[in-house]
Amino acid sequence: YCINNPAFRTHFFDFTRRVQRATGIDAYQIDEVYFFDKNFCGCEHCRRRFKAETGFELPREADSPVFFNNADALWQLFMLWRGTCVQSFKKDFLASIRQENPAAFLSTYTTTYLQSSRRGNAWGNFLVSYANGKEGVSRLPFHDYRYCLADFRLTTGVADALGHATWMLWYPLTGSAARFCWGMSQASGCAQWHSKQWSSSVRDLIKWPHTMKKLDFEMFADVAVVFSDTSKNASSWTGY
C-alpha cells in the first residue's frame, strides 16, 4: 500500500467511517503511518503527486546520483515532501472521520530513540493530532535520563504552544525503572502508558494525589536537539 495511492485512501477512509458508525468511538490512533524506509516510495502515485506539487520529477534510473544523497537538493526536497504527505494523510483521515463524528480527534504515535523524526515524522503531525505520543525512548532510563528529559522538553514545548497533549509508552526492564519513568513523565507533563508487565509497580503512584507540575522540578538537561550529518536533513532511516 502507499498513503498516496487514491484507491488505498478511499478504501481506508471508507472502512474507518464504517467503524465510526458502528462503534461511535471518540478518538483514533493510527500507528506508524509513514514511508517504510528512505528508499520508499517510488510508485507512480508518489511520482505523479510529487511532480504535481513541486514541479520536479524524480529520476527513473536506479543508479541515479540523486537517490539517498542528502547533499542533493532534489533528494532533500523529496524527503521534505514525504513529510507533508504523512501530515496530509492524517489531516484527510481526520476530516473523513469527522463526517461521522465532528468531535473525533487523532492521537499520533512515533517510535523514537535518539532520532526525533523517526517513523512518525513527528513535528508536522503536531499540527494535526491533538495527542502526540512516543514509544519507550529507552529501556534503560537510569542510563540516559538526560536525553529523555531533553526530548520531553522539546515535545511538550511544541504541544503546549498548540494546546495539545503528549504521552509516552514505556518499556522498562524492572519495577524500579518503571517508577523512575513514571516520575519523568509526571515531571514533564506527559501522560503515560506502561507495559502490562510493570503496571503493578506504578499502580499506587498513579493514585498519588500530589500530581507533579512542570514548575515543581528542575530539568537536568538543557539541550533538546543535536544535529548530526544524518539528522540535519532527515532521519537516516525513514526521514521525511
Side-chain angles (χ1 to χ4, degrees):
Y1 86 99
C2 175
I3 59 174
N4 287 326
N5 183 332
F8 168 74
R9 293 168 71 95
T10 297
H11 170 77
F12 185 76
F13 295 165
D14 286 348
F15 172 77
T16 48
R17 282 198 302 272
R18 291 199 302 272
V19 171
Q20 178 64 53
R21 288 194 294 270
T23 62
I25 59 179
D26 298 318
Y28 292 79
Q29 181 181 312
I30 48 176
D31 280 8
E32 298 180 356
V33 176
Y34 65 103
F35 292 91
F36 182 73
D37 205 339
K38 63 182 179 181
N39 57 336
F40 285 82
C41 178
C43 74
E44 292 302 316
H45 306 294
C46 281
R47 288 178 176 276
R48 284 195 293 267
R49 182 171 178 176
F50 178 69
K51 184 176 181 180
E53 294 180 356
T54 68
F56 293 92
E57 190 167 1
L58 288 174
R60 292 190 175 272
E61 300 79 17
D63 59 350
S64 170
V66 170
F67 293 134
F68 320 123
N69 180 2
N70 285 334
D72 187 274
L74 181 58
W75 181 250
Q76 291 179 8
L77 178 62
F78 180 60
M79 292 290 99
L80 292 171
W81 172 82
R82 294 200 316 174
T84 67
C85 291
V86 174
Q87 184 177 340
S88 67
F89 179 86
K90 292 184 177 182
K91 183 178 180 181
D92 292 346
F93 164 76
L94 196 55
S96 172
I97 284 296
R98 284 178 172 170
Q99 294 178 27
E100 306 295 336
N101 177 8
F105 68 89
L106 179 65
S107 174
T108 287
Y109 160 91
T110 174
T111 299
T112 176
Y113 179 67
L114 299 179
Q115 293 190 51
S116 59
S117 61
R118 190 170 180 175
R119 285 200 178 183
N121 302 311
W123 307 119
N125 290 319
F126 272 89
L127 301 174
V128 179
S129 304
Y130 169 73
N132 295 271
K134 293 186 176 183
E135 179 185 76
V137 177
S138 173
R139 294 176 184 266
L140 303 171
F142 296 119
H143 174 68
D144 56 3
Y145 67 89
R146 293 174 181 84
Y147 160 73
C148 295
L149 287 171
D151 191 49
F152 290 170
R153 187 173 192 173
L154 182 61
T155 55
T156 55
V158 174
D160 285 349
L162 296 170
H164 291 181
T166 56
W167 58 270
M168 180 61 62
L169 170 59
W170 290 109
Y171 289 110
L173 298 178
T174 65
S176 59
R179 289 188 288 274
F180 187 72
C181 293
W182 173 89
M184 286 196 293
S185 295
Q186 283 287 98
S188 303
C190 290
Q192 50 196 296
W193 178 8
H194 284 268
S195 55
K196 185 177 181 180
Q197 181 181 8
W198 301 111
S199 59
S200 61
S201 299
V202 297
R203 186 170 292 119
D204 291 340
L205 295 175
I206 292 173
K207 298 178 182 179
W208 188 50
H210 308 291
T211 302
M212 297 166 66
K213 303 296 184 182
K214 295 175 188 178
L215 296 179
D216 296 337
F217 80 106
E218 180 179 353
M219 182 74 76
F220 288 95
D222 199 29
V223 177
V225 179
V226 176
F227 290 102
S228 68
D229 288 341
T230 57
S231 65
K232 65 180 180 181
N233 295 316
S235 163
S236 61
W237 184 39
T238 58
Y240 285 137

